[in-house]
Amino acid sequence: MDLVFDQQHVWHPYTSTLNPLPCYPVESASGVLLKLEDGRELVDGMSSWWAAIHGYNHPQLNNAAKAQIDQMSHVMFGGITHQPAVELCRKLVEMTPEPLQQVFLADSGSVAVEVALKMALQYWHARGEQRPKFLTLRHGYHGDTFAAMSVTDPDNSMHGLYKGFLPEHIFAKSPTTRFGEDWQEDDIRDFAAQLDTHHQEVAAVILEPIVQGAGGMRIYHPTYLQRVRELCDEYGVLLIADEIATGFGRTGKLFACEHAGISPDILCVGKALTGGYMTLSATLTTKHVADTVCSGAAGCFMHGPTFMGNPLACAVANASLTLLQTGEWQQQVESIEKQLAETLPEIGKLKTVKDVRWLGAIGVVELHEPVDLAEIQQRFVDQGVWIRPFGTLVYIMPPFIINQQELSRLTSAILITLG
Ligand SMILES: *Cc1c(COP(=O)(O)O)cnc(C)c1O
């Protein structure tokens, strides 16, 4: 592979052209292993950013893609429908909380969030109310497009860079009561106060249920989410749950909202939807919200991506959801969680480590000081693991199929590297 060309011309996520860090050439991937060009194999601790839950090169997912490619790779979704999309939407309606009945297929997580925000705005427009604001939490992450960025933590996503263009929304303090601790009623106070002050202009609350991902890997108490649902009902504000990272089993429940026993008015899923094979997302809502949206001046929901409902992506997503429906993931995620509970406290004793936390198949090590990414990445690769920290966070969310030895390789590499 021409790595010099890569460094000179290929822009990777969040990288500088002035000081491009080296990239590792991956030739193939199978199960939980990423195979480098030089033959070394790395145990994948990232699931390619939450997505590859069944591992790489999965025979059933491969077969689904191959079979669909011989039917059709793509066909427009306006005025046309097809079996892979219908089957996928049926599965999503079945798997998600009962009130969510209407599915909008989109291209990526960020677009699913854009779609959710647009639904909420059109909902209030149709009801003849001006509600131009969203209420969200600090330390949240909802994607990199403009509307998604505008509800992402203002410090982490550097709102200052786009000031004047980015809409300004309302941020409540993020929850501090951790999952598994005793609930502190004080924790909801700031959110409740913000909603009380602003509810007449707030179209919806948007948040990541239970686990705030890229904005800080914070795992919070389910009662916080219950209170948010109660307050949204009390003030008549819609609730958008962004389960793009947490959805499809990652937290030990199929959807993180289940930890709190609540249902949102709008739900975003993505990332693991296709088992990490290709980009696809979905935004689900209730019949009430959908019908209200469509009763407005526009007469429809105003969105329709070119590659909406891509049959190839839908076919693989169907295969991925079929694998989830066997229920095997539950045992797998439980074993991962058990092993993390046994090993992370050891890592937590290191002097460099500020905190360790875990839930389901997510393990987080928070450091006192930010890492030197290039250096730590090299040390992880030298130890045969793929872990990509950001800032002060070294975290893993491996494919569900990881076995005990492979997971030990990940946690031992963290212990050795940070020790
Ligand atoms: C990754 C992520 C997104 C954005 O998804 P993309 O596919 O990267 O656009 C949105 N919300 C959450 C919670 C995410 O983790």
Side-chain angles (χ1 to χ4, degrees), residues 109-118 120-121 131-160 162 165-174 191 201-209 212-216 238-242 244 268:
S110 301
V111 175
V113 169
E114 300 281 330
V115 163
L117 300 176
K118 283 174 76 173
L121 291 173
R131 295 206 184 204
K133 296 284 180 196
F134 291 94
L135 171 59
T136 184
L137 305 181
R138 293 198 170 267
H139 297 106
Y141 177 78
H142 298 286
D144 287 355
T145 53
F146 274 100
M149 257 198 305
S150 74
V151 288
T152 285
D153 188 274
D155 302 324
N156 275 328
S157 59
M158 295 171 293
H159 282 201
Y162 312 103
F165 188 78
L166 210 57
E168 289 180 14
H169 295 300
I170 305 154
F171 291 85
K173 283 189 190 149
S174 40
F191 178 90
E201 50 172 357
V202 170
V205 167
I206 177 166
L207 51 66
E208 296 152 278
Q212 294 189 290
L238 297 173
L239 175 58
I240 303 169
D242 177 350
I244 290 163
C268 302

Side-chain angles (χ1 to χ4, degrees), residues 55-289:
Y56 301 91
N57 233 317
H58 193 286
Q60 272 150 277
L61 302 189
N62 286 6
N63 286 340
K66 287 173 189 166
Q68 185 56 43
I69 228 169
D70 287 333
Q71 298 293 317
M72 60 188 167
S73 293
H74 184 65
V75 62
M76 66 186 281
F77 211 47
I80 287 174
T81 195
H82 48 79
Q83 185 58 24
V86 174
E87 191 184 328
L88 175 60
C89 293
R90 184 193 298 281
K91 281 197 168 79
L92 287 173
V93 167
E94 279 170 11
M95 292 172 105
T96 55
E98 209 270 329
L100 303 169
Q101 291 291 323
Q102 207 71 38
V103 189
F104 190 95
L105 297 170
D107 322 53
S108 69
S110 301
V111 175
V113 169
E114 300 281 330
V115 163
L117 300 176
K118 283 174 76 173
M119 277 179 187
L121 291 173
Q122 271 197 249
Y123 173 86
W124 290 109
H125 190 268
R127 293 181 53 157
E129 285 195 42
Q130 276 291 316
R131 295 206 184 204
K133 296 284 180 196
F134 291 94
L135 171 59
T136 184
L137 305 181
R138 293 198 170 267
H139 297 106
Y141 177 78
H142 298 286
D144 287 355
T145 53
F146 274 100
M149 257 198 305
S150 74
V151 288
T152 285
D153 188 274
D155 302 324
N156 275 328
S157 59
M158 295 171 293
H159 282 201
L161 280 180
Y162 312 103
K163 204 172 168 58
F165 188 78
L166 210 57
E168 289 180 14
H169 295 300
I170 305 154
F171 291 85
K173 283 189 190 149
S174 40
T176 55
T177 315
R178 297 158 65 122
F179 195 98
E181 283 182 353
D182 287 338
W183 166 245
Q184 302 295 322
E185 197 62 49
D186 249 15
D187 217 10
I188 196 67
R189 204 165 278 174
D190 187 59
F191 178 90
Q194 301 279 3
L195 195 57
D196 187 58
T197 308
H198 299 288
H199 65 94
Q200 277 162 333
E201 50 172 357
V202 170
V205 167
I206 177 166
L207 51 66
E208 296 152 278
I210 307 299
V211 181
Q212 294 189 290
M217 301 298 294
R218 299 158 64 98
I219 306 170
Y220 64 87
H221 202 287
T223 302
Y224 188 95
L225 190 54
Q226 282 168 358
R227 292 288 183 270
V228 167
R229 177 71 272 184
E230 288 159 14
L231 287 162
C232 285
D233 288 341
E234 188 182 320
Y235 287 99
V237 165
L238 297 173
L239 175 58
I240 303 169
D242 177 350
E243 293 240 19
I244 290 163
T246 51
F248 305 113
R250 179 58 66 183
T251 68
K253 303 277 187 194
L254 198 50
F255 294 98
C257 281
E258 292 170 30
H259 288 287
I262 65 116
S263 173
D265 301 290
I266 301 175
L267 172 72
C268 302
V269 296
K271 287 198 163 104
L273 177 57
T274 63
Y277 266 50
M278 53 195 99
T279 180
L280 181 70
S281 67
T283 306
L284 288 90
T285 191
T286 61
K287 179 117 177 72
H288 166 68
V289 169

